[in-house]
Amino acid sequence: MNASLEKINGYSIVNVLDERIDAHNSAGLKEMFLRLIEQGEAKIVVQLDKVRFIDSSGLGALLSGHKNLTSKKSGRFILAGCKQQVLSMFELTRLNRIFEIYADLTEALENEK
């Protein structure tokens, strides 16, 4: 998985740099989330503005990160910057009801819950 990590206002920002999240790289993303959670991170934003395609294994990696963070830490797992084709997958699978999804990183960081 090609991704970078930065901290902004107490949030760990995972910038996914690949155009696809699929069976070839989703395990790496899932590992990154688990590592962050084990290190004590309670607020994760996944920046998806470069992602053009996501398959079921990619959705599974995001769902795993969400479940692990919210169940163990009562934390926040946020998605930001989804392109329309990626957002459509969340809507089709109704995962848009599970995830906090924002148009961009700025909006995600401004909406403190």
Side-chain angles (χ1 to χ4, degrees):
M1 168 56 52
N2 191 12
S4 66
L5 182 64
E6 62 183 311
K7 290 282 275 189
I8 300 175
N9 298 336
Y11 285 84
S12 289
I13 313 299
V14 176
N15 294 298
V16 177
L17 303 173
D18 291 330
E19 288 189 358
R20 300 174 59 91
I21 303 176
D22 55 24
H24 292 94
N25 61 7
S26 60
L29 188 60
K30 187 175 177 180
E31 256 319 298
M32 181 181 282
F33 296 145
L34 287 173
R35 208 172 25 241
L36 287 170
I37 294 165
E38 287 172 1
Q39 292 171 358
E41 297 300 331
K43 296 178 181 179
I44 297 174
V45 178
V46 185
Q47 177 75 357
L48 297 170
D49 61 331
K50 293 182 177 45
V51 177
R52 298 179 162 278
F53 175 83
I54 188 166
D55 70 3
S56 60
S57 60
L59 293 172
L62 293 172
L63 199 54
S64 172
H66 179 274
K67 180 182 172 190
N68 283 312
L69 182 60
T70 57
S71 67
K72 292 179 182 174
K73 302 267 186 197
S74 299
R76 290 185 72 200
F77 191 90
I78 303 166
L79 306 179
C82 295
K83 295 199 180 303
Q84 185 56 49
Q85 55 269 50
V86 172
L87 191 56
S88 293
M89 284 297 293
F90 288 104
E91 292 168 351
L92 181 68
T93 58
R94 297 197 172 146
L95 289 174
N96 59 321
R97 297 178 180 183
I98 303 290
F99 290 105
E100 282 184 67
I101 302 175
Y102 294 98
D104 58 37
L105 183 59
T106 302
E107 184 180 326
L109 295 175
E110 288 175 352
N111 285 289
E112 185 71 35
K113 286 189 176 181

